[in-house]
Every structure is written in C-alpha cells, then in structure tokens.
Amino acid sequence: QVQLAESGGGLVQAGGSLRLSCAASGRTLSSYTMGWFRQAPGKEREFMAGIRWSDGYTYYEDSVKARFTISRDVAKKTVYLQMDSLKPEDTAVYYCAGGWIVAYEKSLFDYWGQGTQLTVSS
C-alpha cells in the first residue's frame, strides 16, 4: 500500500500564498495519479488538482486552476499544492489522495492522508 501524510497547513491572510506537501511512502508511485481534495465543515469533499506520477500530467478543477499549482518531486516521493491568492472560501481541511487513474471523483482514489487544516482570514 501507499501511506500519505500531508503537511504545510496553517493560518494565512486573504491574498497570501501557501504550499502544502504530501509525502508518500510504501509502494512506488510510478503508476499512480495523486490528487488534492478539500473539505469544508458541512461540505462534501471536493477535487482540486491532480497529477499523474509517470509523466507529470496535471489537471485541475476549473475554479482553482488560475490560483493553484500541483507539482511533484519524484526523488522525494512528494506532491505539492502551491496555493496563491488565497480566499476565505479556501478554508478547509486539505487531503492528499492516490489512485490508479486520472480522475476527479473521490471514490476513484484509494489512498488518503489524514488531512491538514488551512484557514484563510479576511
């Protein structure tokens, strides 16, 4: 299996930037797609960005594409989410996930981290 651990959350003011990290251990990620999701209180967990490990192909939910960038460090087995121009509505628990295919649906991701809290103040 793959174990995932998010870090980098915290408190940031609106308009600021933050980078989240997801460190993977266990099975090689060469055949995986890694994704970032977020879940606000009372809301459904939603997809934000994904990256195919084999070639670095990236894809995004349209509403965050202009502000968020997903990337990977192959040697470190780490995926990042660079978040710029943060808004209060970005406040949520952010989760890293892994699956076998390029997908948007959370049900298609098999492995999940514990989540890291991001709070954006106005």
Side-chain angles (χ1 to χ4, degrees):
Q1 297 190 84
V2 174
Q3 294 80 46
L4 305 174
E6 305 95 335
S7 63
L11 177 64
V12 62
Q13 292 186 348
S17 298
L18 200 68
R19 189 180 73 166
L20 305 181
S21 299
C22 174
S25 61
R27 186 184 298 177
T28 178
L29 302 177
S30 61
S31 61
Y32 275 73
T33 294
M34 304 298 298
W36 284 99
F37 291 74
R38 68 186 180 190
Q39 187 167 23
K43 299 285 188 176
E44 184 179 358
R45 191 170 299 185
E46 63 177 352
F47 172 84
M48 294 177 297
I51 184 166
R52 187 164 56 202
W53 202 259
S54 60
D55 62 358
Y57 169 78
T58 59
Y59 59 107
Y60 298 85
E61 195 279 320
D62 287 342
S63 67
V64 303
K65 186 173 183 177
R67 300 186 296 120
F68 291 7
T69 303
I70 189 170
S71 62
R72 79 204 199 283
D73 186 319
V74 175
K76 294 182 178 180
K77 297 176 66 176
T78 299
V79 61
Y80 304 97
L81 185 67
Q82 176 67 43
M83 302 179 292
D84 300 318
S85 301
L86 285 165
K87 306 173 181 179
E89 51 262 45
D90 295 319
T91 295
V93 177
Y94 283 70
Y95 296 90
C96 179
W100 290 105
I101 62 171
V102 171
Y104 296 84
E105 296 295 326
K106 59 182 180 293
S107 63
L108 297 177
F109 290 81
D110 302 301
Y111 303 103
W112 295 85
Q114 81 289 342
T116 185
Q117 176 73 48
L118 169 67
T119 302
V120 182
S121 62
S122 59

Short mmCIF file of all heavy atoms in Angstrom, two decimals, residues 63-115:
data_model
loop_
_atom_site.label_atom_id
_atom_site.label_comp_id
_atom_site.label_asym_id
_atom_site.label_seq_id
_atom_site.Cartn_x
_atom_site.Cartn_y
_atom_site.Cartn_z
N SER A 63 -12.30 26.12 -11.10
CA SER A 63 -12.36 27.29 -10.24
C SER A 63 -11.05 27.63 -9.56
O SER A 63 -10.87 28.76 -9.09
CB SER A 63 -13.46 27.11 -9.19
OG SER A 63 -13.13 26.08 -8.27
N VAL A 64 -10.11 26.70 -9.49
CA VAL A 64 -8.84 26.96 -8.82
C VAL A 64 -7.65 26.92 -9.75
O VAL A 64 -6.52 27.18 -9.32
CB VAL A 64 -8.61 25.97 -7.66
CG1 VAL A 64 -9.76 26.04 -6.66
CG2 VAL A 64 -8.41 24.55 -8.17
N LYS A 65 -7.86 26.64 -11.02
CA LYS A 65 -6.75 26.45 -11.95
C LYS A 65 -5.85 27.69 -12.03
O LYS A 65 -4.63 27.56 -12.17
CB LYS A 65 -7.27 26.08 -13.33
CG LYS A 65 -6.17 25.73 -14.32
CD LYS A 65 -6.74 25.20 -15.62
CE LYS A 65 -5.63 24.78 -16.57
NZ LYS A 65 -6.18 24.21 -17.82
N ALA A 66 -6.42 28.86 -11.95
CA ALA A 66 -5.64 30.08 -12.07
C ALA A 66 -4.82 30.39 -10.83
O ALA A 66 -3.89 31.21 -10.90
CB ALA A 66 -6.57 31.26 -12.39
N ARG A 67 -5.14 29.76 -9.72
CA ARG A 67 -4.50 30.10 -8.45
C ARG A 67 -3.69 28.98 -7.84
O ARG A 67 -2.78 29.25 -7.05
CB ARG A 67 -5.57 30.54 -7.44
CG ARG A 67 -6.37 31.74 -7.88
CD ARG A 67 -7.29 32.21 -6.77
NE ARG A 67 -8.31 31.20 -6.44
CZ ARG A 67 -8.44 30.64 -5.24
NH1 ARG A 67 -7.63 30.98 -4.24
NH2 ARG A 67 -9.41 29.76 -5.03
N PHE A 68 -4.02 27.75 -8.16
CA PHE A 68 -3.36 26.59 -7.55
C PHE A 68 -2.50 25.88 -8.58
O PHE A 68 -2.86 25.77 -9.75
CB PHE A 68 -4.39 25.60 -7.00
CG PHE A 68 -5.17 26.09 -5.81
CD1 PHE A 68 -5.07 27.39 -5.35
CD2 PHE A 68 -6.01 25.21 -5.14
CE1 PHE A 68 -5.80 27.83 -4.26
CE2 PHE A 68 -6.74 25.63 -4.04
CZ PHE A 68 -6.63 26.94 -3.60
N THR A 69 -1.37 25.36 -8.12
CA THR A 69 -0.47 24.60 -8.97
C THR A 69 -0.05 23.33 -8.26
O THR A 69 0.48 23.38 -7.15
CB THR A 69 0.77 25.41 -9.36
OG1 THR A 69 0.38 26.63 -9.99
CG2 THR A 69 1.65 24.61 -10.31
N ILE A 70 -0.27 22.20 -8.91
CA ILE A 70 0.16 20.93 -8.35
C ILE A 70 1.48 20.52 -9.02
O ILE A 70 1.67 20.75 -10.21
CB ILE A 70 -0.92 19.83 -8.54
CG1 ILE A 70 -0.55 18.57 -7.76
CG2 ILE A 70 -1.17 19.54 -10.00
CD1 ILE A 70 -1.68 17.55 -7.70
N SER A 71 2.36 19.95 -8.25
CA SER A 71 3.64 19.51 -8.77
C SER A 71 4.13 18.32 -7.96
O SER A 71 3.55 17.97 -6.94
CB SER A 71 4.67 20.64 -8.74
OG SER A 71 4.92 21.08 -7.42
N ARG A 72 5.20 17.71 -8.42
CA ARG A 72 5.75 16.56 -7.72
C ARG A 72 7.26 16.62 -7.70
O ARG A 72 7.88 17.22 -8.58
CB ARG A 72 5.28 15.25 -8.38
CG ARG A 72 6.05 14.87 -9.66
CD ARG A 72 5.25 13.96 -10.54
NE ARG A 72 6.05 13.22 -11.52
CZ ARG A 72 6.54 13.74 -12.64
NH1 ARG A 72 6.36 15.02 -12.93
NH2 ARG A 72 7.21 12.96 -13.49
N ASP A 73 7.83 16.00 -6.71
CA ASP A 73 9.26 15.76 -6.62
C ASP A 73 9.43 14.26 -6.62
O ASP A 73 9.14 13.60 -5.62
CB ASP A 73 9.85 16.40 -5.36
CG ASP A 73 11.36 16.31 -5.31
OD1 ASP A 73 11.92 15.25 -5.67
OD2 ASP A 73 11.99 17.30 -4.89
N VAL A 74 9.87 13.72 -7.73
CA VAL A 74 9.95 12.28 -7.88
C VAL A 74 10.90 11.66 -6.86
O VAL A 74 10.60 10.64 -6.24
CB VAL A 74 10.35 11.90 -9.31
CG1 VAL A 74 10.55 10.40 -9.44
CG2 VAL A 74 9.29 12.37 -10.29
N ALA A 75 12.06 12.27 -6.71
CA ALA A 75 13.07 11.73 -5.80
C ALA A 75 12.57 11.69 -4.37
O ALA A 75 12.88 10.76 -3.62
CB ALA A 75 14.36 12.52 -5.90
N LYS A 76 11.82 12.70 -3.96
CA LYS A 76 11.32 12.78 -2.60
C LYS A 76 9.98 12.10 -2.41
O LYS A 76 9.48 12.03 -1.28
CB LYS A 76 11.21 14.24 -2.16
CG LYS A 76 12.53 14.96 -2.06
CD LYS A 76 12.34 16.39 -1.57
CE LYS A 76 13.66 17.11 -1.43
NZ LYS A 76 13.47 18.50 -0.96
N LYS A 77 9.40 11.60 -3.50
CA LYS A 77 8.07 10.98 -3.45
C LYS A 77 7.08 11.90 -2.75
O LYS A 77 6.33 11.50 -1.86
CB LYS A 77 8.14 9.62 -2.76
CG LYS A 77 9.00 8.62 -3.49
CD LYS A 77 9.13 7.30 -2.74
CE LYS A 77 7.83 6.56 -2.64
NZ LYS A 77 7.99 5.23 -2.00
N THR A 78 7.09 13.14 -3.18
CA THR A 78 6.27 14.17 -2.56
C THR A 78 5.50 14.93 -3.63
O THR A 78 6.05 15.26 -4.68
CB THR A 78 7.14 15.14 -1.75
OG1 THR A 78 7.81 14.42 -0.71
CG2 THR A 78 6.30 16.23 -1.11
N VAL A 79 4.25 15.21 -3.34
CA VAL A 79 3.43 16.04 -4.21
C VAL A 79 3.11 17.33 -3.47
O VAL A 79 2.91 17.32 -2.24
CB VAL A 79 2.15 15.30 -4.66
CG1 VAL A 79 1.28 14.93 -3.47
CG2 VAL A 79 1.39 16.13 -5.67
N TYR A 80 3.07 18.43 -4.20
CA TYR A 80 2.85 19.74 -3.61
C TYR A 80 1.61 20.38 -4.20
O TYR A 80 1.22 20.11 -5.33
CB TYR A 80 4.05 20.66 -3.87
CG TYR A 80 5.36 20.11 -3.39
CD1 TYR A 80 6.22 19.47 -4.27
CD2 TYR A 80 5.75 20.25 -2.06
CE1 TYR A 80 7.44 18.97 -3.83
CE2 TYR A 80 6.96 19.75 -1.62
CZ TYR A 80 7.80 19.11 -2.50
OH TYR A 80 9.00 18.62 -2.07
N LEU A 81 1.03 21.25 -3.42
CA LEU A 81 -0.02 22.12 -3.92
C LEU A 81 0.35 23.55 -3.54
O LEU A 81 0.28 23.92 -2.37
CB LEU A 81 -1.39 21.75 -3.34
CG LEU A 81 -2.56 22.55 -3.91
CD1 LEU A 81 -2.77 22.21 -5.38
CD2 LEU A 81 -3.83 22.30 -3.11
N GLN A 82 0.77 24.31 -4.54
CA GLN A 82 1.06 25.71 -4.34
C GLN A 82 -0.23 26.50 -4.51
O GLN A 82 -0.87 26.43 -5.55
CB GLN A 82 2.11 26.20 -5.34
CG GLN A 82 2.42 27.68 -5.27
CD GLN A 82 3.11 28.07 -3.99
OE1 GLN A 82 4.00 27.38 -3.53
NE2 GLN A 82 2.68 29.18 -3.41
N MET A 83 -0.60 27.24 -3.49
CA MET A 83 -1.85 27.99 -3.48
C MET A 83 -1.53 29.47 -3.37
O MET A 83 -0.91 29.91 -2.40
CB MET A 83 -2.73 27.53 -2.33
CG MET A 83 -3.05 26.05 -2.36
SD MET A 83 -4.08 25.52 -0.96
CE MET A 83 -2.91 25.75 0.38
N ASP A 84 -1.97 30.22 -4.35
CA ASP A 84 -1.76 31.65 -4.39
C ASP A 84 -3.09 32.38 -4.37
O ASP A 84 -4.13 31.80 -4.67
CB ASP A 84 -0.98 32.04 -5.65
CG ASP A 84 0.38 31.41 -5.74
OD1 ASP A 84 1.09 31.35 -4.71
OD2 ASP A 84 0.76 30.96 -6.85
N SER A 85 -3.04 33.66 -4.03
CA SER A 85 -4.24 34.49 -3.99
C SER A 85 -5.35 33.83 -3.19
O SER A 85 -6.50 33.72 -3.64
CB SER A 85 -4.71 34.82 -5.41
OG SER A 85 -3.71 35.49 -6.14
N LEU A 86 -5.02 33.38 -2.02
CA LEU A 86 -5.96 32.63 -1.21
C LEU A 86 -7.13 33.50 -0.77
O LEU A 86 -6.99 34.69 -0.52
CB LEU A 86 -5.26 32.04 0.01
CG LEU A 86 -4.39 30.83 -0.31
CD1 LEU A 86 -3.46 30.53 0.85
CD2 LEU A 86 -5.26 29.62 -0.63
N LYS A 87 -8.28 32.85 -0.68
CA LYS A 87 -9.52 33.49 -0.31
C LYS A 87 -10.10 32.81 0.93
O LYS A 87 -9.82 31.64 1.17
CB LYS A 87 -10.54 33.39 -1.46
CG LYS A 87 -10.04 33.92 -2.79
CD LYS A 87 -11.05 33.62 -3.89
CE LYS A 87 -10.55 34.11 -5.23
NZ LYS A 87 -11.53 33.80 -6.32
N PRO A 88 -10.91 33.53 1.70
CA PRO A 88 -11.53 32.88 2.86
C PRO A 88 -12.28 31.61 2.51
O PRO A 88 -12.30 30.67 3.32
CB PRO A 88 -12.47 33.96 3.40
CG PRO A 88 -11.81 35.24 3.01
CD PRO A 88 -11.21 34.97 1.65
N GLU A 89 -12.88 31.54 1.34
CA GLU A 89 -13.61 30.35 0.95
C GLU A 89 -12.70 29.15 0.66
O GLU A 89 -13.20 28.05 0.45
CB GLU A 89 -14.51 30.62 -0.26
CG GLU A 89 -13.80 31.30 -1.41
CD GLU A 89 -14.02 32.81 -1.42
OE1 GLU A 89 -13.90 33.44 -0.36
OE2 GLU A 89 -14.30 33.35 -2.52
N ASP A 90 -11.39 29.36 0.65
CA ASP A 90 -10.46 28.25 0.54
C ASP A 90 -10.26 27.53 1.87
O ASP A 90 -9.60 26.48 1.90
CB ASP A 90 -9.10 28.73 0.02
CG ASP A 90 -9.17 29.26 -1.40
OD1 ASP A 90 -9.88 28.66 -2.23
OD2 ASP A 90 -8.51 30.28 -1.68
N THR A 91 -10.77 28.09 2.94
CA THR A 91 -10.64 27.47 4.25
C THR A 91 -11.26 26.08 4.25
O THR A 91 -12.43 25.91 3.91
CB THR A 91 -11.30 28.34 5.32
OG1 THR A 91 -10.60 29.58 5.41
CG2 THR A 91 -11.27 27.66 6.68
N ALA A 92 -10.47 25.09 4.63
CA ALA A 92 -10.92 23.71 4.60
C ALA A 92 -9.81 22.82 5.14
O ALA A 92 -8.68 23.26 5.35
CB ALA A 92 -11.29 23.28 3.18
N VAL A 93 -10.15 21.56 5.34
CA VAL A 93 -9.14 20.53 5.53
C VAL A 93 -8.74 20.02 4.16
O VAL A 93 -9.61 19.65 3.35
CB VAL A 93 -9.66 19.39 6.41
CG1 VAL A 93 -8.60 18.29 6.53
CG2 VAL A 93 -10.03 19.90 7.79
N TYR A 94 -7.47 20.01 3.89
CA TYR A 94 -6.95 19.60 2.59
C TYR A 94 -6.37 18.19 2.70
O TYR A 94 -5.58 17.90 3.60
CB TYR A 94 -5.90 20.57 2.09
CG TYR A 94 -6.50 21.85 1.56
CD1 TYR A 94 -7.10 22.76 2.41
CD2 TYR A 94 -6.49 22.12 0.19
CE1 TYR A 94 -7.69 23.91 1.91
CE2 TYR A 94 -7.07 23.27 -0.31
CZ TYR A 94 -7.67 24.16 0.56
OH TYR A 94 -8.24 25.31 0.06
N TYR A 95 -6.77 17.34 1.77
CA TYR A 95 -6.37 15.95 1.76
C TYR A 95 -5.59 15.60 0.51
O TYR A 95 -5.93 16.03 -0.59
CB TYR A 95 -7.59 15.03 1.82
CG TYR A 95 -8.40 15.14 3.08
CD1 TYR A 95 -9.46 16.04 3.17
CD2 TYR A 95 -8.13 14.33 4.17
CE1 TYR A 95 -10.21 16.14 4.33
CE2 TYR A 95 -8.87 14.41 5.32
CZ TYR A 95 -9.92 15.32 5.39
OH TYR A 95 -10.67 15.40 6.54
N CYS A 96 -4.58 14.81 0.69
CA CYS A 96 -3.85 14.20 -0.41
C CYS A 96 -4.40 12.81 -0.65
O CYS A 96 -4.73 12.09 0.31
CB CYS A 96 -2.36 14.14 -0.07
SG CYS A 96 -1.31 13.39 -1.32
N ALA A 97 -4.51 12.41 -1.90
CA ALA A 97 -5.07 11.11 -2.24
C ALA A 97 -4.33 10.49 -3.41
O ALA A 97 -3.76 11.20 -4.25
CB ALA A 97 -6.56 11.23 -2.57
N GLY A 98 -4.36 9.17 -3.48
CA GLY A 98 -3.74 8.45 -4.58
C GLY A 98 -4.68 7.44 -5.19
O GLY A 98 -5.45 6.80 -4.48
N GLY A 99 -4.61 7.30 -6.50
CA GLY A 99 -5.43 6.34 -7.22
C GLY A 99 -4.72 5.82 -8.45
O GLY A 99 -3.59 6.21 -8.74
N TRP A 100 -5.40 4.97 -9.19
CA TRP A 100 -4.79 4.30 -10.33
C TRP A 100 -4.96 5.04 -11.65
O TRP A 100 -4.22 4.79 -12.59
CB TRP A 100 -5.35 2.89 -10.48
CG TRP A 100 -4.91 1.96 -9.42
CD1 TRP A 100 -5.63 1.51 -8.36
CD2 TRP A 100 -3.61 1.37 -9.29
NE1 TRP A 100 -4.88 0.68 -7.58
CE2 TRP A 100 -3.63 0.57 -8.14
CE3 TRP A 100 -2.43 1.44 -10.06
CZ2 TRP A 100 -2.52 -0.16 -7.73
CZ3 TRP A 100 -1.33 0.72 -9.64
CH2 TRP A 100 -1.38 -0.08 -8.49
N ILE A 101 -5.93 5.95 -11.72
CA ILE A 101 -6.22 6.61 -12.98
C ILE A 101 -6.40 8.10 -12.77
O ILE A 101 -6.60 8.57 -11.64
CB ILE A 101 -7.49 6.03 -13.65
CG1 ILE A 101 -8.72 6.26 -12.76
CG2 ILE A 101 -7.30 4.56 -13.97
CD1 ILE A 101 -10.03 5.92 -13.42
N VAL A 102 -6.32 8.84 -13.86
CA VAL A 102 -6.66 10.25 -13.84
C VAL A 102 -8.15 10.36 -13.59
O VAL A 102 -8.97 9.84 -14.36
CB VAL A 102 -6.27 10.93 -15.17
CG1 VAL A 102 -6.84 12.34 -15.24
CG2 VAL A 102 -4.76 10.95 -15.33
N ALA A 103 -8.53 11.00 -12.50
CA ALA A 103 -9.93 11.05 -12.10
C ALA A 103 -10.20 12.30 -11.29
O ALA A 103 -9.28 12.93 -10.76
CB ALA A 103 -10.29 9.81 -11.29
N TYR A 104 -11.48 12.64 -11.22
CA TYR A 104 -11.95 13.76 -10.41
C TYR A 104 -12.75 13.30 -9.20
O TYR A 104 -12.85 14.04 -8.22
CB TYR A 104 -12.84 14.69 -11.24
CG TYR A 104 -12.15 15.39 -12.38
CD1 TYR A 104 -11.97 14.76 -13.61
CD2 TYR A 104 -11.67 16.69 -12.24
CE1 TYR A 104 -11.34 15.40 -14.66
CE2 TYR A 104 -11.04 17.33 -13.28
CZ TYR A 104 -10.88 16.68 -14.50
OH TYR A 104 -10.25 17.33 -15.54
N GLU A 105 -13.31 12.11 -9.28
CA GLU A 105 -14.20 11.63 -8.23
C GLU A 105 -13.41 11.03 -7.08
O GLU A 105 -12.49 10.23 -7.27
CB GLU A 105 -15.16 10.58 -8.80
CG GLU A 105 -16.10 11.12 -9.85
CD GLU A 105 -17.06 12.14 -9.29
OE1 GLU A 105 -17.46 11.99 -8.11
OE2 GLU A 105 -17.41 13.08 -10.01
N LYS A 106 -13.80 11.40 -5.87
CA LYS A 106 -13.09 10.92 -4.70
C LYS A 106 -13.16 9.41 -4.54
O LYS A 106 -12.25 8.80 -3.98
CB LYS A 106 -13.60 11.60 -3.43
CG LYS A 106 -15.08 11.42 -3.16
CD LYS A 106 -15.47 12.20 -1.90
CE LYS A 106 -16.95 12.04 -1.58
NZ LYS A 106 -17.79 12.70 -2.61
N SER A 107 -14.23 8.80 -5.05
CA SER A 107 -14.38 7.36 -4.93
C SER A 107 -13.35 6.59 -5.75
O SER A 107 -13.16 5.40 -5.52
CB SER A 107 -15.79 6.94 -5.35
OG SER A 107 -16.03 7.23 -6.72
N LEU A 108 -12.71 7.24 -6.70
CA LEU A 108 -11.70 6.60 -7.53
C LEU A 108 -10.29 6.74 -6.99
O LEU A 108 -9.34 6.30 -7.63
CB LEU A 108 -11.78 7.14 -8.96
CG LEU A 108 -13.11 6.86 -9.68
CD1 LEU A 108 -13.12 7.50 -11.05
CD2 LEU A 108 -13.35 5.36 -9.79
N PHE A 109 -10.15 7.36 -5.85
CA PHE A 109 -8.88 7.45 -5.18
C PHE A 109 -8.87 6.50 -3.98
O PHE A 109 -9.79 6.52 -3.16
CB PHE A 109 -8.59 8.88 -4.73
CG PHE A 109 -8.31 9.80 -5.88
CD1 PHE A 109 -9.33 10.35 -6.63
CD2 PHE A 109 -7.00 10.11 -6.21
CE1 PHE A 109 -9.06 11.18 -7.70
CE2 PHE A 109 -6.71 10.96 -7.28
CZ PHE A 109 -7.75 11.49 -8.02
N ASP A 110 -7.85 5.68 -3.91
CA ASP A 110 -7.83 4.57 -2.97
C ASP A 110 -7.12 4.89 -1.66
O ASP A 110 -7.43 4.29 -0.62
CB ASP A 110 -7.15 3.36 -3.60
CG ASP A 110 -7.83 2.92 -4.88
OD1 ASP A 110 -9.03 2.59 -4.82
OD2 ASP A 110 -7.17 2.90 -5.94
N TYR A 111 -6.17 5.78 -1.69
CA TYR A 111 -5.35 6.07 -0.52
C TYR A 111 -5.47 7.53 -0.14
O TYR A 111 -5.46 8.41 -1.01
CB TYR A 111 -3.88 5.72 -0.79
CG TYR A 111 -3.70 4.28 -1.19
CD1 TYR A 111 -3.48 3.93 -2.51
CD2 TYR A 111 -3.75 3.27 -0.24
CE1 TYR A 111 -3.32 2.61 -2.88
CE2 TYR A 111 -3.60 1.94 -0.60
CZ TYR A 111 -3.38 1.62 -1.93
OH TYR A 111 -3.23 0.30 -2.29
N TRP A 112 -5.56 7.78 1.15
CA TRP A 112 -5.80 9.12 1.65
C TRP A 112 -4.91 9.45 2.83
O TRP A 112 -4.62 8.59 3.66
CB TRP A 112 -7.26 9.28 2.10
CG TRP A 112 -8.23 9.16 0.98
CD1 TRP A 112 -8.75 8.01 0.46
CD2 TRP A 112 -8.80 10.24 0.23
NE1 TRP A 112 -9.60 8.31 -0.57
CE2 TRP A 112 -9.65 9.66 -0.73
CE3 TRP A 112 -8.67 11.63 0.29
CZ2 TRP A 112 -10.38 10.44 -1.64
CZ3 TRP A 112 -9.38 12.40 -0.60
CH2 TRP A 112 -10.23 11.80 -1.55
N GLY A 113 -4.47 10.69 2.88
CA GLY A 113 -3.79 11.18 4.06
C GLY A 113 -4.77 11.59 5.12
O GLY A 113 -6.00 11.50 4.95
N GLN A 114 -4.24 12.07 6.23
CA GLN A 114 -5.09 12.43 7.37
C GLN A 114 -5.66 13.84 7.26
O GLN A 114 -6.57 14.19 8.02
CB GLN A 114 -4.29 12.31 8.67
CG GLN A 114 -3.37 13.48 8.99
CD GLN A 114 -2.16 13.58 8.09
OE1 GLN A 114 -1.78 12.63 7.41
NE2 GLN A 114 -1.52 14.75 8.08
N GLY A 115 -5.15 14.63 6.35
CA GLY A 115 -5.62 15.98 6.16
C GLY A 115 -4.81 17.02 6.91
O GLY A 115 -4.22 16.73 7.94
#
